[in-house]
Amino acid sequence: MRFETNAYAGTGATLASDAMHGMAPFDLPSTDTEASVTRLLEQALTAAETDLATTRACVARVAALLEREQAPAVAKDTTPARRRVGAGLAPWQARRVATHVDENLAFPITIDHLSTIAGLSSSYFCRAFKDTFGEPPHAYIMRRRVERAQSLMLQTREPLSQIALACGLSDQAHLCNLFRRLVGQSPSHWRRSRWQEA
């Protein structure tokens, strides 16, 4: 059994399976998809008991036709999902997380707890947090601790060891290492230079 090629002219998409099954290649229709699918399935049913190659070719054409018709819908469905993954935290989530960090700098802050506050899984939260704040949660928390230490160094005469503890750091050495890495100089030098300027 052979297909009429005229019935399918018009789109330029040719299936390789046609040649494989000894059938003349033909173009997939761009309009009237439902009628074309119905016709192909009827031909497949007619040939099912006598001509297996024709049946397979009909089914392959139906699958290609349906795949082509559904491709734009699939693209529409996946595009928003991609946007959501890189969209970051919602404004209310960002505010709640940032407030929690600022209010609890003197205490241990875990990613699990922050993700619970935002109502997200830990892995998704870390990606969304970085999209929103421009750095991973741990780096953000360490930077906020150094900024708090800077504020305390200018506003109080507390020793650096006490300031380190007040900012949630283990000791003065921890503060010094972190401060040097983020600010570029030791906390004592930074503090002295600011007091002299004042």
Side-chain angles (χ1 to χ4, degrees):
M1 176 183 252
R2 295 178 69 86
F3 287 97
E4 297 287 327
T5 56
N6 296 352
Y8 299 101
T11 68
T14 305
L15 291 175
S17 62
D18 294 340
M20 187 173 75
H21 294 297
M23 301 179 65
F26 71 100
D27 294 331
L28 289 172
S30 58
T31 58
D32 203 16
T33 303
E34 190 176 334
S36 300
V37 168
T38 303
R39 183 173 177 177
L40 283 167
L41 289 175
E42 286 172 354
Q43 290 173 338
L45 283 172
T46 304
E49 293 181 15
T50 57
D51 190 350
L52 188 58
T54 299
T55 303
R56 285 180 178 160
C58 288
V59 171
R61 289 175 179 173
V62 168
L65 189 58
L66 293 175
E67 206 172 278
R68 188 171 146 212
E69 288 297 315
Q70 292 174 355
V74 169
K76 284 177 191 168
D77 290 344
T78 57
T79 302
R82 267 189 237 115
R83 269 193 227 110
R84 279 196 297 275
V85 166
L89 299 172
W92 69 266
Q93 291 171 316
R95 277 193 307 275
R96 193 176 286 179
V97 167
T99 300
H100 179 81
V101 168
D102 286 343
E103 290 175 353
N104 293 279
L105 286 173
F107 308 103
I109 301 172
T110 65
I111 304 259
D112 287 342
H113 188 62
L114 293 179
S115 63
T116 301
I117 289 170
L120 301 170
S121 70
S122 296
S123 59
Y124 182 83
F125 170 78
C126 288
R127 290 193 302 271
F129 187 99
K130 188 171 182 180
D131 287 341
T132 301
F133 291 95
E135 58 190 336
H138 181 73
Y140 174 83
I141 293 166
M142 291 299 109
R143 183 174 56 78
R144 293 297 296 136
R145 285 185 164 143
V146 166
E147 289 168 357
R148 174 68 55 84
Q150 288 176 312
S151 176
L152 292 173
M153 281 189 275
L154 295 179
Q155 295 170 5
T156 71
R157 296 273 180 183
E158 290 289 326
L160 292 178
S161 57
Q162 291 301 312
I163 289 175
L165 295 175
C167 294
L169 301 171
S170 55
D171 54 26
Q172 184 174 338
H174 190 188
L175 172 62
C176 290
N177 291 335
L178 191 59
F179 201 95
R180 265 199 200 88
R181 195 170 79 233
L182 296 179
V183 180
Q185 54 185 309
S186 71
S188 55
H189 182 268
W190 184 90
R191 189 182 212 180
R192 271 195 309 274
S193 64
R194 295 305 180 280
W195 279 351
Q196 288 167 0
E197 287 172 11

Short mmCIF file of all heavy atoms in Angstrom, two decimals, residues 59-97:
data_model
loop_
_atom_site.label_atom_id
_atom_site.label_comp_id
_atom_site.label_asym_id
_atom_site.label_seq_id
_atom_site.Cartn_x
_atom_site.Cartn_y
_atom_site.Cartn_z
N VAL A 59 2.52 5.08 11.59
CA VAL A 59 2.64 5.44 13.01
C VAL A 59 3.79 6.43 13.22
O VAL A 59 3.67 7.39 13.98
CB VAL A 59 2.84 4.16 13.88
CG1 VAL A 59 3.18 4.53 15.31
CG2 VAL A 59 1.58 3.30 13.82
N ALA A 60 4.90 6.23 12.50
CA ALA A 60 6.03 7.15 12.61
C ALA A 60 5.63 8.55 12.13
O ALA A 60 6.00 9.56 12.72
CB ALA A 60 7.22 6.63 11.79
N ARG A 61 4.84 8.61 11.05
CA ARG A 61 4.39 9.90 10.53
C ARG A 61 3.46 10.60 11.52
O ARG A 61 3.54 11.81 11.72
CB ARG A 61 3.68 9.71 9.19
CG ARG A 61 4.62 9.35 8.08
CD ARG A 61 3.89 9.05 6.81
NE ARG A 61 4.82 8.71 5.74
CZ ARG A 61 4.44 8.29 4.55
NH1 ARG A 61 3.16 8.13 4.28
NH2 ARG A 61 5.34 8.02 3.64
N VAL A 62 2.59 9.82 12.15
CA VAL A 62 1.68 10.40 13.14
C VAL A 62 2.48 10.95 14.32
O VAL A 62 2.23 12.07 14.79
CB VAL A 62 0.65 9.34 13.63
CG1 VAL A 62 -0.09 9.83 14.86
CG2 VAL A 62 -0.32 9.02 12.52
N ALA A 63 3.44 10.17 14.79
CA ALA A 63 4.25 10.62 15.93
C ALA A 63 5.00 11.91 15.58
O ALA A 63 5.03 12.86 16.38
CB ALA A 63 5.24 9.53 16.32
N ALA A 64 5.59 11.96 14.38
CA ALA A 64 6.32 13.17 13.97
C ALA A 64 5.38 14.36 13.85
O ALA A 64 5.72 15.48 14.25
CB ALA A 64 7.03 12.92 12.65
N LEU A 65 4.21 14.12 13.33
CA LEU A 65 3.24 15.19 13.16
C LEU A 65 2.79 15.75 14.51
O LEU A 65 2.75 16.97 14.72
CB LEU A 65 2.03 14.65 12.38
CG LEU A 65 0.99 15.65 11.90
CD1 LEU A 65 1.63 16.70 11.02
CD2 LEU A 65 -0.12 14.94 11.16
N LEU A 66 2.49 14.86 15.45
CA LEU A 66 2.06 15.30 16.78
C LEU A 66 3.20 15.99 17.53
O LEU A 66 2.99 16.98 18.22
CB LEU A 66 1.54 14.11 17.59
CG LEU A 66 0.24 13.48 17.08
CD1 LEU A 66 -0.11 12.25 17.89
CD2 LEU A 66 -0.89 14.49 17.10
N GLU A 67 4.41 15.46 17.36
CA GLU A 67 5.58 16.06 18.01
C GLU A 67 5.78 17.49 17.52
O GLU A 67 6.06 18.41 18.28
CB GLU A 67 6.81 15.22 17.67
CG GLU A 67 7.92 15.28 18.68
CD GLU A 67 9.00 14.27 18.35
OE1 GLU A 67 8.85 13.09 18.70
OE2 GLU A 67 9.99 14.69 17.71
N ARG A 68 5.63 17.66 16.21
CA ARG A 68 5.81 18.98 15.61
C ARG A 68 4.74 19.96 16.08
O ARG A 68 5.02 21.12 16.34
CB ARG A 68 5.75 18.83 14.10
CG ARG A 68 6.12 20.08 13.39
CD ARG A 68 6.25 19.78 11.93
NE ARG A 68 5.79 20.97 11.25
CZ ARG A 68 5.18 20.98 10.09
NH1 ARG A 68 4.94 19.85 9.49
NH2 ARG A 68 4.82 22.10 9.55
N GLU A 69 3.52 19.49 16.21
CA GLU A 69 2.42 20.36 16.66
C GLU A 69 2.59 20.76 18.13
O GLU A 69 2.20 21.83 18.54
CB GLU A 69 1.08 19.65 16.48
CG GLU A 69 0.65 19.54 15.04
CD GLU A 69 0.43 20.90 14.39
OE1 GLU A 69 -0.20 21.77 15.03
OE2 GLU A 69 0.91 21.11 13.26
N GLN A 70 3.19 19.86 18.95
CA GLN A 70 3.31 20.14 20.38
C GLN A 70 4.60 20.86 20.73
O GLN A 70 4.73 21.38 21.83
CB GLN A 70 3.25 18.83 21.17
CG GLN A 70 1.87 18.20 21.11
CD GLN A 70 1.83 16.84 21.77
OE1 GLN A 70 2.86 16.33 22.20
NE2 GLN A 70 0.67 16.24 21.85
N ALA A 71 5.55 20.96 19.82
CA ALA A 71 6.84 21.60 20.13
C ALA A 71 6.70 23.03 20.63
O ALA A 71 7.30 23.39 21.63
CB ALA A 71 7.75 21.54 18.91
N PRO A 72 5.88 23.90 19.99
CA PRO A 72 5.75 25.27 20.52
C PRO A 72 5.18 25.30 21.93
O PRO A 72 5.62 26.07 22.76
CB PRO A 72 4.80 25.95 19.52
CG PRO A 72 4.87 25.11 18.28
CD PRO A 72 5.15 23.73 18.75
N ALA A 73 4.21 24.41 22.23
CA ALA A 73 3.62 24.38 23.57
C ALA A 73 4.65 23.98 24.61
O ALA A 73 4.70 24.54 25.69
CB ALA A 73 2.43 23.41 23.60
N VAL A 74 5.51 23.01 24.28
CA VAL A 74 6.54 22.59 25.22
C VAL A 74 7.51 23.73 25.48
O VAL A 74 7.89 24.00 26.60
CB VAL A 74 7.30 21.35 24.66
CG1 VAL A 74 8.53 21.06 25.48
CG2 VAL A 74 6.38 20.15 24.63
N ALA A 75 7.88 24.46 24.42
CA ALA A 75 8.79 25.59 24.60
C ALA A 75 8.17 26.65 25.50
O ALA A 75 8.82 27.21 26.35
CB ALA A 75 9.13 26.19 23.24
N LYS A 76 6.87 26.89 25.33
CA LYS A 76 6.20 27.87 26.18
C LYS A 76 6.19 27.43 27.64
O LYS A 76 6.33 28.22 28.54
CB LYS A 76 4.76 28.09 25.70
CG LYS A 76 4.67 28.94 24.47
CD LYS A 76 3.25 29.06 24.01
CE LYS A 76 3.17 29.67 22.63
NZ LYS A 76 1.86 29.57 22.02
N ASP A 77 5.99 26.12 27.87
CA ASP A 77 5.92 25.62 29.24
C ASP A 77 7.28 25.67 29.95
O ASP A 77 7.34 25.94 31.12
CB ASP A 77 5.41 24.16 29.26
CG ASP A 77 3.93 24.10 28.89
OD1 ASP A 77 3.27 25.15 28.93
OD2 ASP A 77 3.47 23.01 28.55
N THR A 78 8.37 25.40 29.21
CA THR A 78 9.67 25.33 29.87
C THR A 78 10.31 26.69 30.07
O THR A 78 11.09 26.87 30.97
CB THR A 78 10.64 24.43 29.07
OG1 THR A 78 10.75 24.93 27.75
CG2 THR A 78 10.18 22.99 29.05
N THR A 79 9.96 27.67 29.23
CA THR A 79 10.59 28.99 29.37
C THR A 79 10.30 29.63 30.72
O THR A 79 11.21 30.07 31.40
CB THR A 79 10.16 29.91 28.22
OG1 THR A 79 10.52 29.28 27.00
CG2 THR A 79 10.84 31.26 28.31
N PRO A 80 9.04 29.66 31.20
CA PRO A 80 8.81 30.25 32.52
C PRO A 80 9.54 29.50 33.62
O PRO A 80 10.02 30.10 34.57
CB PRO A 80 7.30 30.14 32.71
CG PRO A 80 6.74 29.98 31.35
CD PRO A 80 7.80 29.28 30.55
N ALA A 81 9.65 28.16 33.50
CA ALA A 81 10.34 27.40 34.54
C ALA A 81 11.80 27.83 34.63
O ALA A 81 12.34 27.98 35.69
CB ALA A 81 10.24 25.90 34.27
N ARG A 82 12.43 28.05 33.44
CA ARG A 82 13.81 28.50 33.46
C ARG A 82 13.93 29.87 34.11
O ARG A 82 14.83 30.13 34.85
CB ARG A 82 14.36 28.55 32.02
CG ARG A 82 15.06 27.28 31.63
CD ARG A 82 15.76 27.45 30.31
NE ARG A 82 15.27 26.43 29.39
CZ ARG A 82 14.59 26.68 28.30
NH1 ARG A 82 14.32 27.90 27.93
NH2 ARG A 82 14.17 25.70 27.55
N ARG A 83 12.97 30.73 33.82
CA ARG A 83 13.00 32.05 34.43
C ARG A 83 12.85 31.95 35.93
O ARG A 83 13.49 32.65 36.67
CB ARG A 83 11.87 32.92 33.85
CG ARG A 83 12.31 33.71 32.65
CD ARG A 83 11.28 34.76 32.32
NE ARG A 83 11.01 34.73 30.91
CZ ARG A 83 9.89 34.31 30.38
NH1 ARG A 83 8.90 33.89 31.11
NH2 ARG A 83 9.73 34.32 29.08
N ARG A 84 11.96 31.06 36.40
CA ARG A 84 11.73 30.95 37.84
C ARG A 84 12.98 30.49 38.57
O ARG A 84 13.28 30.97 39.65
CB ARG A 84 10.58 29.98 38.12
CG ARG A 84 9.21 30.60 37.95
CD ARG A 84 8.17 29.73 38.59
NE ARG A 84 8.08 28.43 37.99
CZ ARG A 84 7.36 28.16 36.91
NH1 ARG A 84 6.69 29.09 36.29
NH2 ARG A 84 7.32 26.93 36.43
N VAL A 85 13.74 29.55 37.93
CA VAL A 85 14.93 29.03 38.60
C VAL A 85 15.94 30.14 38.86
O VAL A 85 16.56 30.20 39.90
CB VAL A 85 15.56 27.89 37.76
CG1 VAL A 85 16.95 27.57 38.24
CG2 VAL A 85 14.68 26.67 37.82
N GLY A 86 16.11 31.06 37.91
CA GLY A 86 17.08 32.11 38.08
C GLY A 86 16.50 33.42 38.59
O GLY A 86 17.15 34.44 38.54
N ALA A 87 15.28 33.38 39.07
CA ALA A 87 14.60 34.63 39.44
C ALA A 87 15.01 35.13 40.81
O ALA A 87 14.79 36.29 41.12
CB ALA A 87 13.09 34.43 39.39
N GLY A 88 15.60 34.32 41.64
CA GLY A 88 15.97 34.74 42.98
C GLY A 88 14.81 34.67 43.95
O GLY A 88 13.77 34.09 43.68
N LEU A 89 15.02 35.30 45.10
CA LEU A 89 14.00 35.30 46.16
C LEU A 89 12.95 36.35 45.86
O LEU A 89 13.24 37.38 45.27
CB LEU A 89 14.66 35.60 47.50
CG LEU A 89 15.72 34.61 48.00
CD1 LEU A 89 16.40 35.17 49.24
CD2 LEU A 89 15.11 33.25 48.29
N ALA A 90 11.75 36.08 46.31
CA ALA A 90 10.69 37.09 46.24
C ALA A 90 11.07 38.22 47.21
O ALA A 90 11.79 37.99 48.18
CB ALA A 90 9.36 36.48 46.63
N PRO A 91 10.58 39.45 46.96
CA PRO A 91 10.95 40.56 47.86
C PRO A 91 10.67 40.28 49.33
O PRO A 91 11.49 40.61 50.18
CB PRO A 91 10.08 41.71 47.33
CG PRO A 91 9.88 41.40 45.88
CD PRO A 91 9.80 39.91 45.81
N TRP A 92 9.54 39.64 49.63
CA TRP A 92 9.23 39.37 51.05
C TRP A 92 10.22 38.36 51.63
O TRP A 92 10.60 38.46 52.80
CB TRP A 92 7.79 38.88 51.22
CG TRP A 92 7.51 37.51 50.66
CD1 TRP A 92 7.03 37.20 49.44
CD2 TRP A 92 7.69 36.25 51.34
NE1 TRP A 92 6.91 35.85 49.28
CE2 TRP A 92 7.30 35.23 50.44
CE3 TRP A 92 8.15 35.89 52.61
CZ2 TRP A 92 7.35 33.88 50.76
CZ3 TRP A 92 8.21 34.53 52.94
CH2 TRP A 92 7.81 33.54 52.01
N GLN A 93 10.65 37.39 50.80
CA GLN A 93 11.63 36.41 51.28
C GLN A 93 12.98 37.08 51.54
O GLN A 93 13.62 36.83 52.56
CB GLN A 93 11.80 35.29 50.25
CG GLN A 93 10.59 34.39 50.10
CD GLN A 93 10.73 33.44 48.92
OE1 GLN A 93 11.15 33.84 47.84
NE2 GLN A 93 10.34 32.19 49.12
N ALA A 94 13.41 37.93 50.62
CA ALA A 94 14.69 38.62 50.77
C ALA A 94 14.69 39.50 52.02
O ALA A 94 15.66 39.49 52.79
CB ALA A 94 14.98 39.46 49.52
N ARG A 95 13.58 40.22 52.24
CA ARG A 95 13.49 41.08 53.43
C ARG A 95 13.54 40.26 54.71
O ARG A 95 14.26 40.59 55.66
CB ARG A 95 12.18 41.89 53.40
CG ARG A 95 12.25 43.15 52.58
CD ARG A 95 11.06 44.05 52.85
NE ARG A 95 9.77 43.39 52.71
CZ ARG A 95 9.12 43.25 51.56
NH1 ARG A 95 9.63 43.74 50.44
NH2 ARG A 95 7.96 42.64 51.52
N ARG A 96 12.78 39.18 54.72
CA ARG A 96 12.72 38.35 55.94
C ARG A 96 14.07 37.72 56.26
O ARG A 96 14.50 37.70 57.41
CB ARG A 96 11.65 37.27 55.75
CG ARG A 96 11.27 36.57 57.02
CD ARG A 96 10.15 35.58 56.81
NE ARG A 96 8.88 36.24 56.61
CZ ARG A 96 7.73 35.61 56.39
NH1 ARG A 96 7.72 34.29 56.32
NH2 ARG A 96 6.61 36.27 56.23
N VAL A 97 14.75 37.22 55.23
CA VAL A 97 16.05 36.58 55.43
C VAL A 97 17.10 37.61 55.87
O VAL A 97 17.85 37.39 56.83
CB VAL A 97 16.50 35.86 54.13
CG1 VAL A 97 17.96 35.47 54.20
CG2 VAL A 97 15.64 34.62 53.90
#
